[in-house]
Amino acid sequence: MSAIDPSRNHALVTGASSGIGAAIAREYARRGTPLILTARREDRLDALADQLRGSVDCVVIPADLARPDAPLHLFERVRERGLQVGTLVNNAGYGVPGSFLASDWTVHAQFLQVMIGAITELTWRFLPGLRACGAGRILNVASFAGLSPGSRGQTLYAGAKSYLIKFSESLALENAAAGVRVCALCPGFTYSEFHDVTGTRGLVSQLPKWMWLDTDEVARQGVDGADAGRAIVVPGLGYKVLRQVIKHLPDAAARRLMAKNTGRIRDAR
C-alpha cells in the first residue's frame, strides 16, 4: 500500500454553502488545504469554489444529508475520485422552530438524520482514512446550546448538539494514539443565515451585542482548536464566562434561568 501524502489531504466540509461552513472552508483555503465542499445547494457551492480555487483545489459534491443513503453516496463519490480526506468537518445542520408537537414526525426524522445519523455515519466511514493519515482531524460544529439546559422550542436541537459534544469527546480519547484530533466547536449566536431560516431573526435581534459572534472568527478558532487537539472550543469571552456560571449553578436553578429567558431566543409555540 502506498504511503499517504499529507500535502494531498483534503478537508471535507459539510453544509459549506453558507454561514459557519463557508467560513470554515475559507479558513482552510487560507491555510492552503484543498477542499471538498458539500451541501444541498449546488449553485452556492459552485460560487464558493470559484472564489477559492485561486488558492486551493476545490471539489464540489452536492448531497442532501436528510436522505439516509446520502452519507454512503458521498463517501463513494469521494473514493471514486481518488481523493484523500485528512480533515472531516461535520457542520451541516439547522433548527426546527416551534414546540415538539408543532411539526410532523417526518420533519423531526429528517432533522435527526442530518444532525445525528449523517454525522455519525460519515465519521464512521471516513475515520479509517483519517487514522491512516497519521494526523487526521475531525471538527464537529456543535453549539453552546449543547452545553446549556434544554429550552422550550427547537426541542431536539440542544439534545442533538449535546450528543455531538459527547461523541467528539469519546472519539478524541479513542483516536488520540492514532494521531486523530477531534474538536467540538460550540459557538453561541453567530451572524449567519441560521436565524433567518428558523424564522427567529426578529427575536434574536434584540439580544445584547456581546452575545453575537463573528462567523470568520468562530471558524478560525474551530480550525485552531482541531489542530491543537482541544476537545471542546467555546468562542467568545462572554460565552466562556456563561459556561462557567452554568456549570456551577445547581441544575434546578439553571433550568429556571433557561425557562425565564427562553422567550428571548426561541419560538416555543
Side-chain angles (χ1 to χ4, degrees):
M1 180 177 178
S2 60
I4 297 293
D5 178 3
S7 67
R8 294 184 58 231
N9 290 340
H10 286 66
L12 169 60
V13 184
T14 72
S17 59
S18 65
I20 293 175
I24 290 173
R26 290 193 296 268
E27 182 64 25
Y28 275 113
R30 189 181 68 80
R31 300 178 188 214
T33 303
L35 292 162
I36 304 167
L37 307 177
T38 186
R40 291 181 299 114
R41 297 177 290 188
E42 186 173 2
D43 57 337
R44 290 207 176 189
L45 292 177
D46 287 337
L48 178 61
D50 288 343
Q51 294 173 17
L52 301 180
R53 282 190 177 115
S55 303
V56 295
D57 177 51
C58 284
V59 177
V60 169
I61 305 178
D64 181 359
L65 295 180
R67 294 174 55 93
D69 61 347
L72 175 58
H73 179 69
L74 177 58
F75 176 75
E76 290 178 339
R77 291 283 302 278
V78 170
R79 187 169 57 181
E80 288 166 2
R81 295 186 180 208
L83 302 172
Q84 297 173 184
V85 174
T87 298
L88 174 62
V89 181
N90 287 308
N91 166 77
Y94 60 100
V96 177
S99 66
F100 187 50
L101 292 179
S103 297
D104 292 337
W105 173 247
T106 54
V107 174
H108 293 313
Q110 288 181 343
F111 175 88
L112 292 171
Q113 171 60 26
V114 172
M115 303 290 280
I116 295 179
I119 289 171
T120 308
E121 182 177 348
L122 285 172
T123 303
W124 183 82
R125 292 194 180 281
F126 283 103
L127 184 56
L130 297 177
R131 291 172 62 92
C133 289
R137 303 286 185 266
I138 299 175
L139 177 56
N140 290 324
V141 180
S143 169
F144 192 80
L147 300 169
S148 308
S151 66
R152 301 189 307 274
Q154 295 192 35
T155 319
L156 299 178
Y157 187 81
K161 293 301 189 180
S162 180
Y163 165 82
L164 191 52
I165 293 167
K166 296 302 182 184
F167 179 50
S168 300
E169 290 178 320
S170 294
L171 284 173
L173 292 174
E174 289 180 2
N175 294 282
V180 178
R181 297 180 178 181
V182 186
C183 176
L185 176 61
C186 301
F189 293 98
T190 306
Y191 291 112
S192 71
E193 295 180 358
F194 179 89
H195 302 290
D196 299 311
V197 174
T198 59
T200 55
R201 174 63 62 191
L203 281 173
V204 299
S205 293
Q206 302 173 44
L207 294 173
K209 188 174 181 180
W210 70 264
M211 297 188 73
W212 288 98
L213 302 172
D214 176 73
T215 309
D216 290 339
E217 178 61 18
V218 167
R220 184 190 66 78
Q221 291 193 35
V223 174
D224 283 347
D227 283 347
R230 296 173 58 194
I232 297 176
V233 169
V234 179
L237 177 60
Y239 284 103
K240 289 181 174 64
V241 172
L242 186 56
R243 183 189 182 198
Q244 294 305 313
V245 171
I246 292 172
K247 285 173 66 174
H248 290 92
L249 276 177
D251 289 345
R255 285 192 291 270
R256 285 196 298 270
L257 183 64
M258 178 60 76
K260 181 179 179 181
N261 290 281
T262 292
R264 302 178 63 194
I265 58 175
R266 295 279 187 269
D267 179 357
R269 292 173 293 178

PDB file of all heavy atoms in Angstrom, residues 164-199:
ATOM      1  N   LEU A 164     -23.450  15.500  19.999  1.00  0.00           N
ATOM      2  CA  LEU A 164     -22.267  15.745  19.185  1.00  0.00           C
ATOM      3  C   LEU A 164     -21.048  16.058  20.045  1.00  0.00           C
ATOM      4  O   LEU A 164     -19.924  15.632  19.737  1.00  0.00           O
ATOM      5  CB  LEU A 164     -22.550  16.893  18.210  1.00  0.00           C
ATOM      6  CG  LEU A 164     -21.550  17.148  17.085  1.00  0.00           C
ATOM      7  CD1 LEU A 164     -21.268  15.872  16.307  1.00  0.00           C
ATOM      8  CD2 LEU A 164     -22.062  18.239  16.163  1.00  0.00           C
ATOM      9  N   ILE A 165     -21.271  16.784  21.137  1.00  0.00           N
ATOM     10  CA  ILE A 165     -20.161  17.106  22.050  1.00  0.00           C
ATOM     11  C   ILE A 165     -19.629  15.834  22.711  1.00  0.00           C
ATOM     12  O   ILE A 165     -18.414  15.591  22.741  1.00  0.00           O
ATOM     13  CB  ILE A 165     -20.621  18.132  23.103  1.00  0.00           C
ATOM     14  CG1 ILE A 165     -20.919  19.477  22.434  1.00  0.00           C
ATOM     15  CG2 ILE A 165     -19.561  18.294  24.193  1.00  0.00           C
ATOM     16  CD1 ILE A 165     -21.672  20.452  23.315  1.00  0.00           C
ATOM     17  N   LYS A 166     -20.519  15.012  23.255  1.00  0.00           N
ATOM     18  CA  LYS A 166     -20.083  13.780  23.911  1.00  0.00           C
ATOM     19  C   LYS A 166     -19.449  12.813  22.914  1.00  0.00           C
ATOM     20  O   LYS A 166     -18.461  12.132  23.226  1.00  0.00           O
ATOM     21  CB  LYS A 166     -21.277  13.114  24.612  1.00  0.00           C
ATOM     22  CG  LYS A 166     -21.871  13.937  25.738  1.00  0.00           C
ATOM     23  CD  LYS A 166     -20.835  14.259  26.804  1.00  0.00           C
ATOM     24  CE  LYS A 166     -21.444  15.045  27.951  1.00  0.00           C
ATOM     25  NZ  LYS A 166     -20.408  15.449  28.953  1.00  0.00           N
ATOM     26  N   PHE A 167     -20.014  12.734  21.718  1.00  0.00           N
ATOM     27  CA  PHE A 167     -19.452  11.908  20.652  1.00  0.00           C
ATOM     28  C   PHE A 167     -18.024  12.355  20.349  1.00  0.00           C
ATOM     29  O   PHE A 167     -17.108  11.525  20.211  1.00  0.00           O
ATOM     30  CB  PHE A 167     -20.353  12.033  19.426  1.00  0.00           C
ATOM     31  CG  PHE A 167     -19.931  11.267  18.218  1.00  0.00           C
ATOM     32  CD1 PHE A 167     -19.607   9.915  18.297  1.00  0.00           C
ATOM     33  CD2 PHE A 167     -19.889  11.881  16.971  1.00  0.00           C
ATOM     34  CE1 PHE A 167     -19.235   9.198  17.164  1.00  0.00           C
ATOM     35  CE2 PHE A 167     -19.528  11.174  15.838  1.00  0.00           C
ATOM     36  CZ  PHE A 167     -19.190   9.830  15.931  1.00  0.00           C
ATOM     37  N   SER A 168     -17.809  13.655  20.269  1.00  0.00           N
ATOM     38  CA  SER A 168     -16.483  14.196  19.974  1.00  0.00           C
ATOM     39  C   SER A 168     -15.488  13.855  21.080  1.00  0.00           C
ATOM     40  O   SER A 168     -14.330  13.491  20.797  1.00  0.00           O
ATOM     41  CB  SER A 168     -16.559  15.719  19.795  1.00  0.00           C
ATOM     42  OG  SER A 168     -17.426  16.071  18.745  1.00  0.00           O
ATOM     43  N   GLU A 169     -15.918  13.989  22.329  1.00  0.00           N
ATOM     44  CA  GLU A 169     -15.023  13.681  23.445  1.00  0.00           C
ATOM     45  C   GLU A 169     -14.590  12.215  23.410  1.00  0.00           C
ATOM     46  O   GLU A 169     -13.403  11.900  23.620  1.00  0.00           O
ATOM     47  CB  GLU A 169     -15.717  13.997  24.767  1.00  0.00           C
ATOM     48  CG  GLU A 169     -15.913  15.485  25.026  1.00  0.00           C
ATOM     49  CD  GLU A 169     -16.653  15.762  26.319  1.00  0.00           C
ATOM     50  OE1 GLU A 169     -17.619  15.022  26.635  1.00  0.00           O
ATOM     51  OE2 GLU A 169     -16.281  16.714  27.025  1.00  0.00           O
ATOM     52  N   SER A 170     -15.530  11.324  23.154  1.00  0.00           N
ATOM     53  CA  SER A 170     -15.194   9.897  23.099  1.00  0.00           C
ATOM     54  C   SER A 170     -14.277   9.590  21.923  1.00  0.00           C
ATOM     55  O   SER A 170     -13.296   8.834  22.060  1.00  0.00           O
ATOM     56  CB  SER A 170     -16.473   9.064  23.002  1.00  0.00           C
ATOM     57  OG  SER A 170     -17.250   9.185  24.177  1.00  0.00           O
ATOM     58  N   LEU A 171     -14.577  10.169  20.754  1.00  0.00           N
ATOM     59  CA  LEU A 171     -13.714   9.963  19.591  1.00  0.00           C
ATOM     60  C   LEU A 171     -12.296  10.456  19.853  1.00  0.00           C
ATOM     61  O   LEU A 171     -11.318   9.821  19.443  1.00  0.00           O
ATOM     62  CB  LEU A 171     -14.282  10.698  18.380  1.00  0.00           C
ATOM     63  CG  LEU A 171     -15.487  10.082  17.668  1.00  0.00           C
ATOM     64  CD1 LEU A 171     -16.000  11.052  16.616  1.00  0.00           C
ATOM     65  CD2 LEU A 171     -15.134   8.745  17.029  1.00  0.00           C
ATOM     66  N   ALA A 172     -12.189  11.593  20.538  1.00  0.00           N
ATOM     67  CA  ALA A 172     -10.866  12.148  20.826  1.00  0.00           C
ATOM     68  C   ALA A 172     -10.045  11.176  21.672  1.00  0.00           C
ATOM     69  O   ALA A 172      -8.848  10.964  21.417  1.00  0.00           O
ATOM     70  CB  ALA A 172     -11.010  13.490  21.546  1.00  0.00           C
ATOM     71  N   LEU A 173     -10.680  10.567  22.664  1.00  0.00           N
ATOM     72  CA  LEU A 173      -9.970   9.626  23.528  1.00  0.00           C
ATOM     73  C   LEU A 173      -9.594   8.353  22.774  1.00  0.00           C
ATOM     74  O   LEU A 173      -8.490   7.825  22.936  1.00  0.00           O
ATOM     75  CB  LEU A 173     -10.842   9.282  24.741  1.00  0.00           C
ATOM     76  CG  LEU A 173     -11.085  10.408  25.739  1.00  0.00           C
ATOM     77  CD1 LEU A 173     -12.085   9.961  26.806  1.00  0.00           C
ATOM     78  CD2 LEU A 173      -9.776  10.851  26.390  1.00  0.00           C
ATOM     79  N   GLU A 174     -10.516   7.864  21.940  1.00  0.00           N
ATOM     80  CA  GLU A 174     -10.280   6.603  21.234  1.00  0.00           C
ATOM     81  C   GLU A 174      -9.208   6.706  20.164  1.00  0.00           C
ATOM     82  O   GLU A 174      -8.536   5.704  19.871  1.00  0.00           O
ATOM     83  CB  GLU A 174     -11.580   6.128  20.574  1.00  0.00           C
ATOM     84  CG  GLU A 174     -12.637   5.631  21.542  1.00  0.00           C
ATOM     85  CD  GLU A 174     -13.894   5.176  20.836  1.00  0.00           C
ATOM     86  OE1 GLU A 174     -13.934   5.219  19.590  1.00  0.00           O
ATOM     87  OE2 GLU A 174     -14.839   4.772  21.531  1.00  0.00           O
ATOM     88  N   ASN A 175      -9.038   7.890  19.583  1.00  0.00           N
ATOM     89  CA  ASN A 175      -8.203   8.007  18.391  1.00  0.00           C
ATOM     90  C   ASN A 175      -6.946   8.843  18.576  1.00  0.00           C
ATOM     91  O   ASN A 175      -6.208   9.065  17.617  1.00  0.00           O
ATOM     92  CB  ASN A 175      -9.038   8.575  17.240  1.00  0.00           C
ATOM     93  CG  ASN A 175     -10.140   7.621  16.818  1.00  0.00           C
ATOM     94  OD1 ASN A 175      -9.903   6.649  16.120  1.00  0.00           O
ATOM     95  ND2 ASN A 175     -11.364   7.891  17.264  1.00  0.00           N
ATOM     96  N   ALA A 176      -6.692   9.292  19.803  1.00  0.00           N
ATOM     97  CA  ALA A 176      -5.516  10.129  20.041  1.00  0.00           C
ATOM     98  C   ALA A 176      -4.221   9.402  19.693  1.00  0.00           C
ATOM     99  O   ALA A 176      -3.310   9.983  19.087  1.00  0.00           O
ATOM    100  CB  ALA A 176      -5.489  10.580  21.503  1.00  0.00           C
ATOM    101  N   ALA A 177      -4.141   8.132  20.033  1.00  0.00           N
ATOM    102  CA  ALA A 177      -2.909   7.379  19.784  1.00  0.00           C
ATOM    103  C   ALA A 177      -2.649   7.206  18.289  1.00  0.00           C
ATOM    104  O   ALA A 177      -1.507   6.992  17.879  1.00  0.00           O
ATOM    105  CB  ALA A 177      -2.974   6.016  20.467  1.00  0.00           C
ATOM    106  N   ALA A 178      -3.694   7.309  17.474  1.00  0.00           N
ATOM    107  CA  ALA A 178      -3.543   7.191  16.021  1.00  0.00           C
ATOM    108  C   ALA A 178      -3.287   8.533  15.363  1.00  0.00           C
ATOM    109  O   ALA A 178      -3.201   8.624  14.138  1.00  0.00           O
ATOM    110  CB  ALA A 178      -4.796   6.554  15.415  1.00  0.00           C
ATOM    111  N   GLY A 179      -3.164   9.589  16.173  1.00  0.00           N
ATOM    112  CA  GLY A 179      -2.862  10.911  15.634  1.00  0.00           C
ATOM    113  C   GLY A 179      -4.073  11.693  15.166  1.00  0.00           C
ATOM    114  O   GLY A 179      -3.921  12.764  14.566  1.00  0.00           O
ATOM    115  N   VAL A 180      -5.281  11.183  15.423  1.00  0.00           N
ATOM    116  CA  VAL A 180      -6.501  11.884  15.017  1.00  0.00           C
ATOM    117  C   VAL A 180      -6.944  12.806  16.151  1.00  0.00           C
ATOM    118  O   VAL A 180      -7.165  12.356  17.279  1.00  0.00           O
ATOM    119  CB  VAL A 180      -7.636  10.896  14.674  1.00  0.00           C
ATOM    120  CG1 VAL A 180      -8.903  11.659  14.294  1.00  0.00           C
ATOM    121  CG2 VAL A 180      -7.211   9.986  13.538  1.00  0.00           C
ATOM    122  N   ARG A 181      -7.086  14.083  15.834  1.00  0.00           N
ATOM    123  CA  ARG A 181      -7.521  15.065  16.824  1.00  0.00           C
ATOM    124  C   ARG A 181      -8.959  15.468  16.527  1.00  0.00           C
ATOM    125  O   ARG A 181      -9.294  15.758  15.378  1.00  0.00           O
ATOM    126  CB  ARG A 181      -6.594  16.283  16.807  1.00  0.00           C
ATOM    127  CG  ARG A 181      -5.166  15.927  17.200  1.00  0.00           C
ATOM    128  CD  ARG A 181      -4.231  17.106  17.189  1.00  0.00           C
ATOM    129  NE  ARG A 181      -2.899  16.719  17.624  1.00  0.00           N
ATOM    130  CZ  ARG A 181      -1.863  17.550  17.739  1.00  0.00           C
ATOM    131  NH1 ARG A 181      -2.019  18.834  17.431  1.00  0.00           N
ATOM    132  NH2 ARG A 181      -0.695  17.104  18.141  1.00  0.00           N
ATOM    133  N   VAL A 182      -9.778  15.479  17.561  1.00  0.00           N
ATOM    134  CA  VAL A 182     -11.213  15.709  17.410  1.00  0.00           C
ATOM    135  C   VAL A 182     -11.618  16.905  18.255  1.00  0.00           C
ATOM    136  O   VAL A 182     -11.253  17.000  19.428  1.00  0.00           O
ATOM    137  CB  VAL A 182     -12.035  14.473  17.827  1.00  0.00           C
ATOM    138  CG1 VAL A 182     -13.514  14.684  17.528  1.00  0.00           C
ATOM    139  CG2 VAL A 182     -11.515  13.217  17.121  1.00  0.00           C
ATOM    140  N   CYS A 183     -12.396  17.798  17.667  1.00  0.00           N
ATOM    141  CA  CYS A 183     -12.805  19.028  18.347  1.00  0.00           C
ATOM    142  C   CYS A 183     -14.288  19.272  18.138  1.00  0.00           C
ATOM    143  O   CYS A 183     -14.791  19.162  17.013  1.00  0.00           O
ATOM    144  CB  CYS A 183     -12.000  20.215  17.810  1.00  0.00           C
ATOM    145  SG  CYS A 183     -12.489  21.823  18.488  1.00  0.00           S
ATOM    146  N   ALA A 184     -14.990  19.597  19.215  1.00  0.00           N
ATOM    147  CA  ALA A 184     -16.371  20.052  19.135  1.00  0.00           C
ATOM    148  C   ALA A 184     -16.375  21.573  19.289  1.00  0.00           C
ATOM    149  O   ALA A 184     -15.996  22.099  20.338  1.00  0.00           O
ATOM    150  CB  ALA A 184     -17.230  19.414  20.218  1.00  0.00           C
ATOM    151  N   LEU A 185     -16.778  22.260  18.239  1.00  0.00           N
ATOM    152  CA  LEU A 185     -16.848  23.721  18.243  1.00  0.00           C
ATOM    153  C   LEU A 185     -18.234  24.131  18.735  1.00  0.00           C
ATOM    154  O   LEU A 185     -19.244  23.697  18.171  1.00  0.00           O
ATOM    155  CB  LEU A 185     -16.592  24.251  16.838  1.00  0.00           C
ATOM    156  CG  LEU A 185     -16.714  25.758  16.613  1.00  0.00           C
ATOM    157  CD1 LEU A 185     -15.714  26.527  17.467  1.00  0.00           C
ATOM    158  CD2 LEU A 185     -16.522  26.074  15.128  1.00  0.00           C
ATOM    159  N   CYS A 186     -18.288  24.942  19.779  1.00  0.00           N
ATOM    160  CA  CYS A 186     -19.557  25.249  20.446  1.00  0.00           C
ATOM    161  C   CYS A 186     -19.828  26.757  20.475  1.00  0.00           C
ATOM    162  O   CYS A 186     -19.764  27.403  21.537  1.00  0.00           O
ATOM    163  CB  CYS A 186     -19.545  24.704  21.877  1.00  0.00           C
ATOM    164  SG  CYS A 186     -19.294  22.932  21.987  1.00  0.00           S
ATOM    165  N   PRO A 187     -20.149  27.342  19.315  1.00  0.00           N
ATOM    166  CA  PRO A 187     -20.423  28.788  19.299  1.00  0.00           C
ATOM    167  C   PRO A 187     -21.815  29.096  19.833  1.00  0.00           C
ATOM    168  O   PRO A 187     -22.721  28.244  19.810  1.00  0.00           O
ATOM    169  CB  PRO A 187     -20.333  29.124  17.807  1.00  0.00           C
ATOM    170  CG  PRO A 187     -20.761  27.860  17.124  1.00  0.00           C
ATOM    171  CD  PRO A 187     -20.252  26.736  17.984  1.00  0.00           C
ATOM    172  N   GLY A 188     -21.977  30.323  20.296  1.00  0.00           N
ATOM    173  CA  GLY A 188     -23.297  30.826  20.633  1.00  0.00           C
ATOM    174  C   GLY A 188     -23.907  31.478  19.400  1.00  0.00           C
ATOM    175  O   GLY A 188     -23.696  31.019  18.270  1.00  0.00           O
ATOM    176  N   PHE A 189     -24.639  32.555  19.591  1.00  0.00           N
ATOM    177  CA  PHE A 189     -25.285  33.236  18.469  1.00  0.00           C
ATOM    178  C   PHE A 189     -24.218  33.821  17.547  1.00  0.00           C
ATOM    179  O   PHE A 189     -23.335  34.561  17.985  1.00  0.00           O
ATOM    180  CB  PHE A 189     -26.211  34.343  18.985  1.00  0.00           C
ATOM    181  CG  PHE A 189     -27.396  33.804  19.734  1.00  0.00           C
ATOM    182  CD1 PHE A 189     -27.396  33.755  21.114  1.00  0.00           C
ATOM    183  CD2 PHE A 189     -28.512  33.327  19.052  1.00  0.00           C
ATOM    184  CE1 PHE A 189     -28.475  33.244  21.808  1.00  0.00           C
ATOM    185  CE2 PHE A 189     -29.595  32.814  19.732  1.00  0.00           C
ATOM    186  CZ  PHE A 189     -29.585  32.779  21.114  1.00  0.00           C
ATOM    187  N   THR A 190     -24.325  33.457  16.270  1.00  0.00           N
ATOM    188  CA  THR A 190     -23.326  33.832  15.277  1.00  0.00           C
ATOM    189  C   THR A 190     -24.015  34.481  14.087  1.00  0.00           C
ATOM    190  O   THR A 190     -25.084  34.028  13.667  1.00  0.00           O
ATOM    191  CB  THR A 190     -22.548  32.577  14.812  1.00  0.00           C
ATOM    192  OG1 THR A 190     -22.006  31.913  15.969  1.00  0.00           O
ATOM    193  CG2 THR A 190     -21.413  32.960  13.882  1.00  0.00           C
ATOM    194  N   TYR A 191     -23.419  35.516  13.558  1.00  0.00           N
ATOM    195  CA  TYR A 191     -24.001  36.197  12.402  1.00  0.00           C
ATOM    196  C   TYR A 191     -23.994  35.262  11.196  1.00  0.00           C
ATOM    197  O   TYR A 191     -22.941  34.967  10.624  1.00  0.00           O
ATOM    198  CB  TYR A 191     -23.217  37.468  12.075  1.00  0.00           C
ATOM    199  CG  TYR A 191     -23.373  38.570  13.102  1.00  0.00           C
ATOM    200  CD1 TYR A 191     -22.308  38.958  13.910  1.00  0.00           C
ATOM    201  CD2 TYR A 191     -24.590  39.220  13.264  1.00  0.00           C
ATOM    202  CE1 TYR A 191     -22.449  39.975  14.850  1.00  0.00           C
ATOM    203  CE2 TYR A 191     -24.744  40.240  14.205  1.00  0.00           C
ATOM    204  CZ  TYR A 191     -23.672  40.607  14.993  1.00  0.00           C
ATOM    205  OH  TYR A 191     -23.822  41.607  15.924  1.00  0.00           O
ATOM    206  N   SER A 192     -25.167  34.766  10.814  1.00  0.00           N
ATOM    207  CA  SER A 192     -25.301  33.860   9.670  1.00  0.00           C
ATOM    208  C   SER A 192     -26.772  33.816   9.267  1.00  0.00           C
ATOM    209  O   SER A 192     -27.613  34.539   9.827  1.00  0.00           O
ATOM    210  CB  SER A 192     -24.810  32.446  10.029  1.00  0.00           C
ATOM    211  OG  SER A 192     -25.718  31.823  10.923  1.00  0.00           O
ATOM    212  N   GLU A 193     -27.098  32.937   8.320  1.00  0.00           N
ATOM    213  CA  GLU A 193     -28.482  32.786   7.864  1.00  0.00           C
ATOM    214  C   GLU A 193     -29.323  31.916   8.786  1.00  0.00           C
ATOM    215  O   GLU A 193     -30.521  31.765   8.570  1.00  0.00           O
ATOM    216  CB  GLU A 193     -28.508  32.157   6.462  1.00  0.00           C
ATOM    217  CG  GLU A 193     -27.893  33.009   5.375  1.00  0.00           C
ATOM    218  CD  GLU A 193     -27.957  32.301   4.034  1.00  0.00           C
ATOM    219  OE1 GLU A 193     -28.444  31.145   3.998  1.00  0.00           O
ATOM    220  OE2 GLU A 193     -27.539  32.902   3.036  1.00  0.00           O
ATOM    221  N   PHE A 194     -28.713  31.317   9.795  1.00  0.00           N
ATOM    222  CA  PHE A 194     -29.406  30.314  10.614  1.00  0.00           C
ATOM    223  C   PHE A 194     -30.738  30.827  11.141  1.00  0.00           C
ATOM    224  O   PHE A 194     -31.767  30.161  11.046  1.00  0.00           O
ATOM    225  CB  PHE A 194     -28.498  29.891  11.780  1.00  0.00           C
ATOM    226  CG  PHE A 194     -29.120  28.877  12.709  1.00  0.00           C
ATOM    227  CD1 PHE A 194     -28.982  27.528  12.457  1.00  0.00           C
ATOM    228  CD2 PHE A 194     -29.832  29.280  13.824  1.00  0.00           C
ATOM    229  CE1 PHE A 194     -29.550  26.581  13.310  1.00  0.00           C
ATOM    230  CE2 PHE A 194     -30.404  28.343  14.675  1.00  0.00           C
ATOM    231  CZ  PHE A 194     -30.260  26.997  14.424  1.00  0.00           C
ATOM    232  N   HIS A 195     -30.744  32.043  11.697  1.00  0.00           N
ATOM    233  CA  HIS A 195     -31.958  32.554  12.341  1.00  0.00           C
ATOM    234  C   HIS A 195     -32.987  33.041  11.324  1.00  0.00           C
ATOM    235  O   HIS A 195     -34.182  33.116  11.635  1.00  0.00           O
ATOM    236  CB  HIS A 195     -31.595  33.652  13.340  1.00  0.00           C
ATOM    237  CG  HIS A 195     -30.636  33.183  14.390  1.00  0.00           C
ATOM    238  ND1 HIS A 195     -30.996  32.304  15.375  1.00  0.00           N
ATOM    239  CD2 HIS A 195     -29.310  33.440  14.573  1.00  0.00           C
ATOM    240  CE1 HIS A 195     -29.946  32.041  16.150  1.00  0.00           C
ATOM    241  NE2 HIS A 195     -28.920  32.715  15.673  1.00  0.00           N
ATOM    242  N   ASP A 196     -32.534  33.340  10.121  1.00  0.00           N
ATOM    243  CA  ASP A 196     -33.496  33.647   9.059  1.00  0.00           C
ATOM    244  C   ASP A 196     -34.248  32.386   8.647  1.00  0.00           C
ATOM    245  O   ASP A 196     -35.456  32.408   8.424  1.00  0.00           O
ATOM    246  CB  ASP A 196     -32.775  34.247   7.849  1.00  0.00           C
ATOM    247  CG  ASP A 196     -32.066  35.551   8.197  1.00  0.00           C
ATOM    248  OD1 ASP A 196     -32.702  36.415   8.807  1.00  0.00           O
ATOM    249  OD2 ASP A 196     -30.879  35.676   7.864  1.00  0.00           O
ATOM    250  N   VAL A 197     -33.512  31.276   8.558  1.00  0.00           N
ATOM    251  CA  VAL A 197     -34.117  30.011   8.152  1.00  0.00           C
ATOM    252  C   VAL A 197     -35.129  29.532   9.195  1.00  0.00           C
ATOM    253  O   VAL A 197     -36.198  29.019   8.861  1.00  0.00           O
ATOM    254  CB  VAL A 197     -33.030  28.939   7.918  1.00  0.00           C
ATOM    255  CG1 VAL A 197     -33.664  27.577   7.649  1.00  0.00           C
ATOM    256  CG2 VAL A 197     -32.134  29.349   6.759  1.00  0.00           C
ATOM    257  N   THR A 198     -34.800  29.704  10.481  1.00  0.00           N
ATOM    258  CA  THR A 198     -35.697  29.238  11.538  1.00  0.00           C
ATOM    259  C   THR A 198     -36.798  30.238  11.864  1.00  0.00           C
ATOM    260  O   THR A 198     -37.682  29.951  12.675  1.00  0.00           O
ATOM    261  CB  THR A 198     -34.912  28.943  12.834  1.00  0.00           C
ATOM    262  OG1 THR A 198     -34.242  30.143  13.273  1.00  0.00           O
ATOM    263  CG2 THR A 198     -33.887  27.840  12.614  1.00  0.00           C
ATOM    264  N   GLY A 199     -36.748  31.423  11.251  1.00  0.00           N
ATOM    265  CA  GLY A 199     -37.784  32.419  11.482  1.00  0.00           C
ATOM    266  C   GLY A 199     -37.696  33.123  12.815  1.00  0.00           C
ATOM    267  O   GLY A 199     -38.685  33.699  13.296  1.00  0.00           O
TER     268      GLY A 199
END
